[in-house]
Each structure stands twice: as structure tokens, then as C-alpha cells.
Amino acid sequence: MRRGKFITVEGIDGAGKSSHLEFLCARVRAKGHGVLLTREPGGTPIGEQLRKMVLHQPMPAVAEALLMFGARSLHVNDVIEPALEAGTWVICDRFSDSSFAYQCGGRGLDTHVVANLEALVHPALQPDATYLFDVDPATAYERQRKEGRSPDVFEREQVAFFERVREAYLERSRQQLYRFHIIDASGTPEMVRSILAAEFERTFA
């Protein structure tokens, strides 16, 4: 059986990436493939418990990274790899690029720490494609403010934090051009979806 494709979706809080996940799933199904939609941190019962801790309990950057990769280890072993081996495509809302962006870029953790954790947890697994929803942090901040919901520990950060996160994402994309696809997320949802559809078709023609 042919191995499934692994797709990740990334971006700063407020970029709007999550609203397009089901659309991506539909595009995969239209190509005749089964698809599993999952998320990080989370994806497993223990991972979801760790998600609550990471998103709602302030902690040092190294503790955040360790908890993220603890959840990721379970996620890869119990969910992502079995699905891919069964021929199912996997779409994941965030993966290790988020750790480089948030813990390293945002929090200032040394990139070697996250790189070593990445090599330990999923040495042979990288996404086949990563769609990075890119938007100015000020725009993303205003979108979140209008939503009016209770923010998590990351969403409570100021614009300067997300400027560092965004630059870390863009630097990561420059280092791995073969899998990153930058999606201009500054427009209307319809405009963004049109860009995403075109990029998806180019990636998996």
C-alpha cells in the first residue's frame, strides 16, 4: 500500500489557518484519498491533557518545549505514523515548526535545543508540504481582539512577540524551501482559500 502524505498547517495566532483545515481535507478526499485531521499539541488523550497545561499554565520556554515534544512523541507514534503507513493522508494543525517559531523565535530558546528534540522524536519524519499562513502580527492581533474569547498564554502575548514568531517561521521556510508554501493570509477568507487551493494543486498535481 502506498504511504500517505503528511501535510502541516502553520502560522501565528490570528492568521486564520484553522478555518481552512476542513477545506484542505475536502481537497484531499477529492483526489481519492482518505484523510485524518489532527492537531498539536494534542492528537492523543495524553496529548490533549498536555495541551491544556501548555496553553493555560505559564512556564519557562524549555518546559514548554519538553511538554510539546512529549505530546508530539505520542502523537507521531500512536496516530501520525500508523495513519501514513495505512495509506491515509494526515493534515496536522501545527507540528515541530511551531516549536521553532514559538519557543525559539518567541521565547528565545536556543534552536539547538528544539533541533535535538526534533531529531529524537521524529528523526525520519518531515511534512511532505507545509502551508504557512503569513500575516502581519498587528492584523492578527486585531482579528483576535474582535473574536472576544478568553485568550491562552500565547494569545495574551504582545505584537512584538508575534513579530519574532513570524520571522522565525519565515526563516524556517527559507531553510526548507522544498516543503514550505507561503499563503498570504491578509485577505478575506475567500481570497485566502483561493490561494491555498492553487498552492495545493501545484503541490500535489
Side-chain angles (χ1 to χ4, degrees), residues 85-115:
E85 284 299 316
T88 301
W89 288 36
V90 176
I91 296 176
C92 191
D93 185 356
R94 300 197 183 282
F95 195 57
S96 289
D97 295 313
S98 282
S99 295
F100 282 97
Y102 279 79
Q103 279 71 58
C104 299
R107 302 281 194 231
L109 187 64
D110 193 313
T111 56
H112 290 96
V113 174
V114 172

Side-chain angles (χ1 to χ4, degrees), residues 52-88:
K52 294 177 182 177
M53 294 174 62
V54 171
L55 295 187
H56 300 289
Q57 299 293 328
M59 61 186 72
V62 67
E64 280 183 356
L66 289 171
L67 287 178
M68 291 282 193
F69 274 95
R72 188 164 292 137
S73 178
L74 290 168
H75 196 200
V76 169
N77 185 73
D78 296 352
V79 177
I80 296 175
E81 277 292 352
L84 294 174
E85 284 299 316
T88 301

